Amino acid sequence: MASSTFSFFFLTLLLLAVITAVTPCPPSERAALLAFKAALTEPYLGIFNTWNGTDCCGTWYGIACDPTTGHVTDVNLRGESQDPMFQKLGRSGYMTGKISPEICTLSNLTSLVVADWKAISGDIPACVTSLSSLRLLDLAGNRLTGQIPTDIGNIWSLSVLSLADNEISGEIPTSIVNLARLMHLDLSNNHLSGEIPYDFGKLRMLSRALLSGNQLTGSVPKSVSKMKRLADLDVSLNRLTGFIPVELGKMKVLSTLKLDGNSMTGPVPPTLLSNTGMGILNLSRNGFSGIIPDVFVADSYFMVLDLSFNNFSGRIPGSLSASKFMGHLDLSNNHLCGTIPIGSPFDHIDAASFSNNDCLCGNPLKTC
């Protein structure tokens, strides 16, 4: 008798657990999504037309839930999409309105994507920093204003943060360096000011740091060299000053470095040009000076090497001829002199890449 009672009790608990597990979209989460929807207007595609009924996990466009708990885990709304809904109408997305703080009540969110809608405005809700399970936050391609939430570093599980192509102002919060799991950071094309945090190098998991097209000042932090996984650093089109940290040339994974369009000065570290892992190096439109180090080696493989619009002097390094590959080379608008070396890669580079120097000569320019 006791055994059968226990079995009945156990089966009852199991049944309740199964019922609970398959009950999708709790009413409070559905209400939060509807409040989020109410703050936005999407006039062309009708993506919110699917947001009706009680099961937001099953048929609501862009919404996904945990199959075990039924909690909403993903809000994925992209205005640039290969979804048939977009292709059928032959247009990208357009949405106005604001991002409602009600979205923050979805405490189990792992991804929040509201990107490329062109006209969503207002601030980033400060409460997003309470979403401790969030791994992906992508709000790029809108018209968001205000500042990056001060406590952004509280989202300890975040691996992707993209706020690019908005109108966000203020400084990069110092707490951002606490995002120990961050792998991709894109803050490009905003109105950010102030300096890059001096301890930016604490982001040891970061592989891409895209900060271009802002109004950042100060210098490139030396701590960047501690980021052993960093492959792409783009701080172009800012107001940065100072020298290139020598340590950058010793980074083994760094393959793309864009410093163009700043006010940086000083010499180019030789290790930056002899680093065989470097594939795209753009230092154009700064105030760099001195000679171009003659340190290129047989394994040098540059898809882009742009040193134009600086104050480099002396001769073109002969060791450039030893490079395994040189795709785009631009040495124009400097103070270089002497004969342009012959052979590869110089035999396929046009005259514009050498123009407006002091006294360069030889093919493809005038004869010496």
Side-chain angles (χ1 to χ4, degrees):
M1 182 69 178
S3 175
S4 60
T5 302
F6 175 79
S7 299
F8 177 78
F9 178 71
F10 177 77
L11 289 172
T12 302
L13 287 177
L14 184 62
L15 182 61
L16 286 172
V18 170
I19 293 173
T20 302
V22 298
T23 302
C25 196
S28 61
E29 298 187 9
R30 184 168 64 253
L33 287 172
L34 291 175
F36 169 77
K37 168 189 171 183
L40 297 167
T41 301
E42 192 284 295
Y44 302 116
L45 298 170
I47 64 169
F48 287 132
N49 291 344
T50 63
W51 286 34
N52 52 55
T54 58
D55 183 10
C56 66
C57 302
T59 59
W60 290 25
Y61 182 86
I63 304 301
C65 302
D66 186 303
T68 303
T69 65
H71 288 300
V72 176
T73 55
D74 300 275
V75 176
N76 190 352
L77 301 175
R78 291 190 183 276
E80 302 286 345
S81 173
Q82 298 301 313
D83 188 280
M85 181 187 299
F86 289 72
Q87 297 192 350
K88 182 178 180 180
L89 293 176
R91 63 171 301 139
S92 59
Y94 181 84
M95 197 183 295
T96 58
K98 302 180 186 300
I99 299 175
S100 170
E102 289 295 318
I103 201 71
C104 302
T105 63
L106 301 174
S107 59
N108 294 279
L109 274 186
T110 59
S111 64
L112 175 57
V113 178
V114 188
D116 300 318
W117 294 101
K118 305 177 182 63
I120 296 176
S121 57
D123 294 357
I124 300 170
C127 58
V128 296
T129 61
S130 67
L131 297 172
S132 59
S133 298
L134 204 61
R135 294 195 292 268
L136 167 62
L137 178 58
D138 186 353
L139 306 178
N142 292 295
R143 291 183 185 170
L144 298 176
T145 53
Q147 301 186 2
I148 300 172
T150 303
D151 296 326
I152 193 74
N154 288 351
I155 314 177
W156 63 274
S157 57
L158 204 60
S159 61
V160 175
L161 175 59
S162 180
L163 305 176
D165 303 311
N166 280 289
E167 298 172 14
I168 300 167
S169 57
E171 299 187 358
I172 299 174
T174 55
S175 73
I176 203 167
V177 303
N178 297 326
L179 297 174
R181 300 185 181 184
L182 195 65
M183 294 186 285
H184 177 99
L185 174 65
D186 192 352
L187 305 179
S188 57
N189 301 317
N190 279 286
H191 305 307
L192 296 172
S193 58
E195 299 187 3
I196 301 170
Y198 77 94
D199 52 352
F200 195 67
K202 287 177 65 177
L203 297 170
R204 301 295 173 86
M205 296 292 289
L206 201 63
S207 62
R208 302 191 77 201
L210 311 178
L211 308 177
S212 64
N214 284 288
Q215 299 162 21
L216 298 173
T217 54
S219 58
V220 177
K222 291 182 180 180
S223 65
V224 167
S225 64
K226 297 178 181 179
M227 304 163 77
K228 305 303 183 185
R229 302 189 181 198
L230 188 66
D232 187 349
L233 176 61
D234 186 354
V235 292
S236 62
L237 302 174
N238 279 288
R239 299 174 183 176
L240 298 176
T241 54
F243 290 10
I244 300 174
V246 175
E247 295 83 358
L248 293 191
K250 301 174 183 178
M251 298 177 68
K252 295 181 179 180
V253 177
L254 187 64
S255 60
T256 298
L257 177 61
K258 297 180 180 179
L259 305 178
D260 49 298
N262 284 288
S263 299
M264 299 180 70
T265 54
V268 174
T271 51
L272 205 57
L273 299 179
S274 63
N275 186 338
T276 56
M278 188 66 65
I280 297 175
L281 179 62
N282 193 337
L283 307 182
S284 66
R285 299 182 185 276
N286 278 283
F288 296 121
S289 58
I291 64 168
I292 301 173
D294 196 2
V295 292
F296 296 91
V297 296
D299 288 334
S300 296
Y301 195 101
F302 283 95
M303 291 176 282
V304 174
L305 177 59
D306 193 341
L307 306 180
S308 63
F309 291 91
N310 280 289
N311 296 313
F312 291 116
S313 56
R315 306 176 70 87
I316 296 176
S319 61
L320 266 170
S321 298
S323 301
K324 185 175 183 179
F325 180 79
M326 186 66 64
H328 173 78
L329 174 67
D330 194 344
L331 304 177
S332 66
N333 296 280
N334 281 287
H335 301 291
L336 300 172
C337 264
T339 304
I340 298 171
I342 59 175
S344 178
F346 302 101
D347 53 6
H348 72 266
I349 297 173
D350 59 30
S353 294
F354 304 105
S355 63
N356 297 316
N357 276 284
D358 287 0
C359 45
L360 281 179
C361 60
N363 188 53
L365 300 181
K366 63 182 182 180
T367 304
C368 295

